[in-house]
């Protein structure tokens, strides 16, 4: 497929990198002219002001409510690029022309507005596709032991447990392929991955696993939290992201949760301010920017891509949890804006990385288009099989029209490219193993499935040249569960972008309602 630049860029060119905002500059006190006494007084006043500002920032940072409002006399603060991006996403209005640099998604050729527009076109056929028999049925090894630490046990809450499929609900052709490896002894050798794989694949043909209906076991809030959940993400970020992952607090989940701290204490979710002009200062006080959340500018692009993929997955999982959050008071599943602000607002780069992963998956599907179009999706369920034949071309048509939003040919170049790619694969495979350490069955199901989906995208982009996806595909090695995981993960990120727009609407409703309440207090003329 010929590569064409996405029309989202200005004249097809990549947006120039913006220098990090310089917030350390202080106005010159002026040494020429004033007396020594006046210079001393001015320095004392400046020190006092800085001390007061630091104390205020510290209180806002550590307060359980995190300084939700900003005072009118506070000096303006230059927002970071990540926070500027998040504020722009939440404050976007219909018909707004996105032209500020903060709107562009780093390491891509697109901005968030164009990515959302693509999602509007692909979401509906994609939603229908993942509800068909082929794509909703998956075999997953949920009970593989954790290789890295002793787990605390499993979560036995109702919403943590998965509901497996009865054998009669699985297409007979797939069951017939299942082989009991133990009965063949050493004569049947299966491997967890090949040299081309970026994850442990767990082929449906061999070994243990449970057949599951992904639609009947949706990714949403389960109540699984605390030290066990935090350990999974802390291990991923600290031990597998090439040392470039940002500072993390004692929970990788963000501020506010059912059980947010390792000591098990509950913290309330924070709520955004009513005034639009207070949103950026609010996000500044909530975020961990002072600990280096923003990746340094000199980090190699391959490392950035790796971190963005992991961070974007984490953000997407958090977004699904907040979009379908169980309200114990009303006993209803409903969106929780405070949850979204708390889990994503403290780490604003995660928001941008969700958009990045949607672009990454889009590019992988573009590259795999001939292979996906020719794949055999037969299940024996006539209605579903016809639906797949109708929906696959629709999804591929929309995806191909998006143009080149990410150029995979720019990575792993030069004399160190081969070694760097091998390290990249090893670390991502390790992350797929860490998912076995999750104590919640449903969380493990979606962690393993989406990690495999991203790994399949990376495999398509970096393990095969474009020409491999043309002709008879003789060099390709993609298992059925990889194809399912790829499309399912694409849909999961599509859901995340839909949820972002929903949360944006909820935030704007807060602003609108507050303005209406203030207007009602004004005296009648």
């Amino acid at each position: 497929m010929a590569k064409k630049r996405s029309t989202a860029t200005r004249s097809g060119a990549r947006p120039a990198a913006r220098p990090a905002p310089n917030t350390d500059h202080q106005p010159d006190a002026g040494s020429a002219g004033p007396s020594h006494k006046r210079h001393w007084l001015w320095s004392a006043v400046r020190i006092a002001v800085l001390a007061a500002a630091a104390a205020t920032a510290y209180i806002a940072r550590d307060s359980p409510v995190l300084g939700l409002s900003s005072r009118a006399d506070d000096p303006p603060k230059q927002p970071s690029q990540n926070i500027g991006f998040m504020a722009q996403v939440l404050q976007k209005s219909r018909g707004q022309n996105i032209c500020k640099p903060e709107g562009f998604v780093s390491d891509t050729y697109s901005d968030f507005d164009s990515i959302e527009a693509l999602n509007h076109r692909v979401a509906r056929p994609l939603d229908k596709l993942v509800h068909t028999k082929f794509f909703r049925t998956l075999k997953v090894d949920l009970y593989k032991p954790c290789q890295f630490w002793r787990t605390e046990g499993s979560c036995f809450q109702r919403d943590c447990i998965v509901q497996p499929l009865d054998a009669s609900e699985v297409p007979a052709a797939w069951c017939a392929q299942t082989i009991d490896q133990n009965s063949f002894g050493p004569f049947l050798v299966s491997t967890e991955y090949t040299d081309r794989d970026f994850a442990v694949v767990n082929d449906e043909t061999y070994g243990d696993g449970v057949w599951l209906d992904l639609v009947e076991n949706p990714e949403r809030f389960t109540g699984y939290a605390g030290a066990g959940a935090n350990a999974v993400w802390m291990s991923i970020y600290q031990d597998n992201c090439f040392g470039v992952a940002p500072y993390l607090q004692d929970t990788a989940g963000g501020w506010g949760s059912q059980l947010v701290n390792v000591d098990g204490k509950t913290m309330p979710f924070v709520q955004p301010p009513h005034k639009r002009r207070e949103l950026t200062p609010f996000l500044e006080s909530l975020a961990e920017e002072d600990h280096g959340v923003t990746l340094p500018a000199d980090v190699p692009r391959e490392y950035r891509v790796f971190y963005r993929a992991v961070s974007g997955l984490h953000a997407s999982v958090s977004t699904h949890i907040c979009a379908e959050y169980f309200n114990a008071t009303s006993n209803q599943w409903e969106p929780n804006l405070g949850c979204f602000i708390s889990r994503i607002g403290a780490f604003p780069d995660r928001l941008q990385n969700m958009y990045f992963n949607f672009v990454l998956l889009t590019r992988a599907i573009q590259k795999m288009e001939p292979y996906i179009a020719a794949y055999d999706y037969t299940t024996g369920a006539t209605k579903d099989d016809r639906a797949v034949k109708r929906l696959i071309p629709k999804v591929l048509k929309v995806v191909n029209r998006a143009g080149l939003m990410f150029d995979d040919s720019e990575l792993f170049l030069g004399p160190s490219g081969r070694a760097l790619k091998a390290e990249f694969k090893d670390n991502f495979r390790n992350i797929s193993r860490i998912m076995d350490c999750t104590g919640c069955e449903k969380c493990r199901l979606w962690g393993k499935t989406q990690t495999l989906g991203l790994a399949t995208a990376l495999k398509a982009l970096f393990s095969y040249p474009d020409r491999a996806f043309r002709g008879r595909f003789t060099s390709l090695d993609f298992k059925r569960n990889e194809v399912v995981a790829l499309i399912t993960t694409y849909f999961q990120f599509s859901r995340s972008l839909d949820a972002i727009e929903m949360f944006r609407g909820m935030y704007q409703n807060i602003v609108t309602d507050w303005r209406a309440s203030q207007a009602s207090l004004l005296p009648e003329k």
Side-chain angles (χ1 to χ4, degrees):
M1 182 187 69
K3 298 179 181 179
K4 61 176 182 177
R5 300 291 186 193
S6 168
T7 55
T9 61
R10 304 184 185 104
S11 302
R14 176 189 296 253
R18 297 173 66 250
N22 182 4
T23 58
D24 297 329
H25 176 72
Q26 299 293 338
D28 183 26
S31 58
S35 64
H36 177 75
K37 183 176 182 180
R38 286 182 62 193
H39 178 75
W40 182 86
L41 287 172
W42 170 249
S43 298
V45 170
R46 186 169 62 174
I47 291 171
V49 170
L50 289 174
T56 301
Y58 181 82
I59 292 171
R61 161 103 161 80
D62 291 334
S63 169
V65 295
L66 300 174
L68 298 187
S69 62
S70 61
R71 295 174 50 179
D73 56 350
D74 285 342
K77 185 177 181 180
Q78 179 73 24
S80 74
Q81 184 175 353
N82 283 329
I83 290 175
F85 181 91
M86 184 168 190
Q88 193 175 357
V89 168
L90 285 174
Q91 293 181 335
K92 175 183 178 290
S93 60
R94 182 172 296 180
Q96 179 181 352
N97 179 28
I98 301 301
C99 58
K100 295 181 180 179
E102 288 87 350
F104 278 87
V105 178
S106 299
D107 292 315
T108 76
Y109 293 121
S110 194
D111 59 65
F112 81 84
D113 199 34
S114 299
I115 295 169
E116 288 182 358
L118 168 60
N119 185 48
H120 292 166
R121 297 190 295 272
V122 78
R124 188 169 182 178
L126 196 56
D127 187 5
K128 292 179 179 179
L129 186 62
V130 298
H131 280 78
T132 61
K133 189 76 172 179
F134 183 91
F135 286 101
R136 67 190 294 168
T137 309
L138 187 66
K139 186 179 180 182
V140 183
D141 187 357
L142 287 181
Y143 306 111
K144 185 180 292 186
C146 175
Q147 301 179 18
F148 303 99
W149 61 82
R150 175 175 290 182
T151 57
E152 298 177 346
S154 298
C155 167
F156 293 105
Q157 299 184 63
R158 179 187 60 185
D159 296 312
C160 287
I161 307 300
V162 300
Q163 300 299 324
L165 280 172
D166 186 87
S168 62
E169 300 178 89
V170 181
W174 300 347
C175 294
Q177 294 180 27
T178 303
I179 299 172
D180 183 2
Q181 187 173 357
N182 293 327
S183 65
F184 284 83
F187 299 103
L188 179 64
V189 179
S190 66
T191 58
E192 289 188 318
Y193 59 85
T194 68
D195 184 59
R196 296 183 186 274
D197 293 328
F198 282 71
V200 174
V201 176
N202 289 325
D203 184 0
E204 293 171 326
T205 304
Y206 300 106
D208 299 325
V210 180
W211 286 101
L212 297 160
D213 186 324
L214 297 176
V215 176
E216 294 298 324
N217 294 279
E219 182 180 37
R220 61 186 181 186
F221 175 75
T222 63
Y224 177 63
N230 296 333
V232 171
W233 287 111
M234 293 289 278
S235 176
I236 288 173
Y237 282 121
Q238 294 180 343
D239 302 330
N240 295 278
C241 285
F242 300 97
V244 303
Y247 164 87
L248 293 174
Q249 52 199 35
D250 59 355
T251 170
W255 292 96
S257 165
Q258 290 285 306
L259 295 170
V260 70
N261 292 325
V262 291
D263 59 6
K265 292 182 179 179
T266 301
M267 288 179 65
F269 287 125
V270 299
Q271 298 295 331
H274 298 92
K275 300 179 181 179
R276 290 175 65 92
R277 67 174 181 270
E278 293 180 354
L279 180 62
T280 297
F282 162 79
L283 293 173
E284 285 283 355
S285 68
L286 180 64
E288 301 283 352
E289 291 287 337
D290 54 327
H291 285 280
V293 165
T294 304
L295 292 181
D298 59 349
V299 169
R301 189 177 182 192
E302 290 82 2
Y303 289 2
R304 293 201 310 269
V305 166
F306 188 100
Y307 169 72
R308 292 191 196 287
V310 172
S311 170
L313 172 60
H314 189 185
S316 182
V317 170
S318 296
T319 300
H320 295 158
I321 289 172
C322 298
E324 292 192 65
Y325 195 88
F326 185 72
N327 186 332
T329 303
S330 64
N331 204 35
Q332 298 289 328
W333 294 96
E334 57 189 35
N336 189 321
L337 177 61
C339 172
F340 177 75
I341 293 292
S342 301
R343 288 177 176 266
I344 306 300
F347 306 93
D349 65 325
R350 291 181 183 174
L351 180 70
Q352 184 170 161
N353 293 336
M354 270 193 284
Y355 288 90
F356 173 83
N357 272 2
F358 189 78
V359 169
L360 184 78
L361 290 159
T362 298
R363 171 61 191 137
I365 293 172
Q366 287 175 337
K367 186 172 180 177
M368 294 178 69
E369 184 268 337
Y371 180 77
I372 294 174
Y375 200 88
D376 181 9
Y377 299 100
T378 304
T379 66
T382 304
K383 183 178 178 180
D384 279 15
D385 291 350
R386 288 175 179 172
V388 172
K389 288 182 179 180
R390 183 180 70 254
L391 293 167
I392 283 287
K394 288 185 177 181
V395 170
L396 295 177
K397 182 177 180 180
V398 172
V399 167
N400 282 335
R401 285 183 173 179
L404 187 65
M405 306 172 83
F406 173 80
D407 192 349
D408 44 291
S409 67
E410 297 176 345
L411 277 72
F412 302 112
L413 302 176
S416 62
R418 184 185 296 271
L420 184 59
K421 186 187 295 186
E423 188 179 9
F424 194 109
K425 289 178 183 176
D426 286 342
N427 284 22
F428 213 88
R429 288 172 191 149
N430 217 36
I431 290 174
S432 68
R433 295 188 185 99
I434 292 174
M435 292 300 169
D436 292 322
C437 303
T438 305
C440 158
E441 284 186 358
K442 193 171 290 184
C443 307
R444 195 180 312 143
L445 162 64
W446 284 104
K448 290 170 76 76
T449 299
Q450 292 176 95
T451 302
L452 178 59
L454 284 172
T456 304
L458 294 170
K459 177 179 177 179
L461 294 176
F462 303 119
S463 289
Y464 294 102
D466 287 2
R467 65 179 180 275
F469 294 95
R470 297 189 292 267
R472 302 180 65 180
F473 318 121
T474 53
S475 66
L476 299 183
D477 178 23
F478 288 96
K479 307 294 190 295
R480 194 198 78 91
N481 57 339
E482 290 179 280
V483 176
V484 172
L486 174 68
I487 298 300
T488 298
T489 304
Y490 195 43
F491 175 67
Q492 290 297 94
F493 278 94
S494 172
R495 285 182 58 213
S496 294
L497 299 191
D498 286 341
I500 290 170
E501 294 195 61
M502 175 186 65
F503 287 126
R504 177 191 299 147
M506 293 174 68
Y507 167 69
Q508 292 179 351
N509 287 341
I510 289 176
V511 174
T512 301
D513 292 345
W514 181 83
R515 287 176 177 172
S517 68
Q518 295 303 299
S520 67
L521 298 176
L522 296 175
E524 296 183 3
K525 294 183 179 179

